[in-house]
């Protein structure tokens, strides 16, 4: 829907006769994606793969540093900064 082309869509879980994204996103080519969560294996991997920003939940500065190290590892695996 963010490509700007309207029309039918057939995916794994949904089939739509028409897609419409109105109003169109302000940012191009798509809206910025922010992912937040606690998980190091799944959530931070999804952040590395898809997100433009993340909201890391932790209770101490050391925990935040650790989660950012894990995220950096996931990013390196995917070739993203």
């Amino acid at each position: 829907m963010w490509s700007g082309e309207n029309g039918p869509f057939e995916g794994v879980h949904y089939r739509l006769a028409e897609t419409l994204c109105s109003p169109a996103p302000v940012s191009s080519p798509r809206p910025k994606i922010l992912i937040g969560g606690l998980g190091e294996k799944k959530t931070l991997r999804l952040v590395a793969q898809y997100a433009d920003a993340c909201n890391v939940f932790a209770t101490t500065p050391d925990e935040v540093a650790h989660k950012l190290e894990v995220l950096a590892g996931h990013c390196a695996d995917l070739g993203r900064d």
Side-chain angles (χ1 to χ4, degrees), residues 5-67:
E5 296 181 23
N6 295 329
F9 171 81
E10 190 163 328
V12 176
H13 301 287
Y14 298 97
R15 284 187 213 117
L16 304 171
E18 180 181 12
T19 59
L20 181 62
C21 188
S22 180
V26 175
S27 32
S28 179
R30 59 171 173 71
K32 301 289 185 189
I33 296 172
L34 178 131
I35 297 175
L38 296 168
E40 294 179 11
K41 293 178 184 173
K42 188 153 197 162
T43 303
L44 292 180
R45 184 178 49 77
L46 291 171
V47 170
Q49 189 169 2
Y50 298 112
D52 299 295
C54 68
N55 189 0
V56 175
F57 296 97
T59 56
T60 68
D62 288 338
E63 279 185 65
V64 172
H66 170 73
K67 292 197 182 278

